[in-house]
Amino acid sequence: MNPGFRLRFLATLLVICMLLPLSPVMAASPSDIADHWAEQAIERWIDLGILKGYPDETIQPDGLIKRAEFASLVNRTFGFAKAEPAGFLDVEEDDWFKEDLDKAKTARYLMGYPDNTVKPEDFITRQEAAVIFARLLDLRYSDG
């Protein structure tokens, strides 16, 4: 993939991810995106199977996105399928997001915290999203 295109794609993804929450249930016909500024992009992402909605068939496009939801979106966007048990202490076997968080750790873009938690229900910060994109793009940085 062209590096310039990939960078533009990921920048667009970051903007949309900060605005669109996800869940494991597909929204058949989201009732809350009509006349939204991102309606066409949201519909395209739904058609591509990247974006899914909540059980009440909403997308909540102006809501915040949780860490587990973000991982789910990244996995579907990049096609990450390999999942080794991550062993996060705050993730149960029956949580809808367990497999996505296992995939995220296996792909080495979401490593969790030093106490072996991942805080899946916390809203992701822009800083955390930037770190994830740096890992996905294998970007190098320095302090000086």
Side-chain angles (χ1 to χ4, degrees):
M1 183 182 291
N2 177 327
F5 173 78
R6 188 173 180 181
L7 192 57
R8 285 191 307 275
F9 175 77
L10 287 173
T12 302
L13 177 66
L14 177 60
V15 170
I16 293 174
C17 288
M18 295 288 83
L19 300 172
L20 298 177
L22 309 169
S23 88
V25 180
M26 182 65 155
S29 178
S31 59
D32 59 343
I33 64 169
D35 299 321
H36 190 273
W37 67 267
E39 180 179 3
Q40 289 181 341
I42 293 168
E43 288 174 347
R44 176 83 171 128
W45 282 35
I46 291 170
D47 290 345
L48 291 172
I50 294 171
L51 182 63
K52 297 185 179 189
Y54 290 96
D56 64 357
E57 297 186 356
T58 63
I59 296 293
Q60 302 177 17
D62 293 318
L64 299 173
I65 186 168
K66 294 180 181 178
R67 293 170 54 83
E69 294 168 337
F70 190 83
S72 180
L73 175 65
V74 169
N75 291 338
R76 287 193 296 268
T77 300
F78 286 87
F80 293 127
K82 184 179 177 185
E84 297 174 7
F88 292 123
L89 297 176
D90 55 349
V91 177
E92 301 294 328
E93 285 295 321
D94 59 346
D95 288 334
W96 73 262
F97 46 75
K98 183 190 182 315
E99 185 177 2
D100 277 307
L101 295 176
D102 289 346
K103 289 177 186 178
K105 188 167 183 182
T106 301
R108 303 194 52 77
Y109 71 82
L110 187 63
M111 305 309 296
Y113 294 97
D115 64 354
N116 201 30
T117 63
V118 70
K119 301 178 183 174
E121 296 291 338
D122 284 3
F123 295 116
I124 194 164
T125 66
R126 285 176 173 80
Q127 178 182 355
E128 291 167 334
V131 168
I132 287 171
F133 284 123
R135 289 176 180 155
L136 288 167
L137 293 172
D138 197 25
L139 299 177
R140 304 288 177 213
Y141 58 92
S142 66
D143 292 336

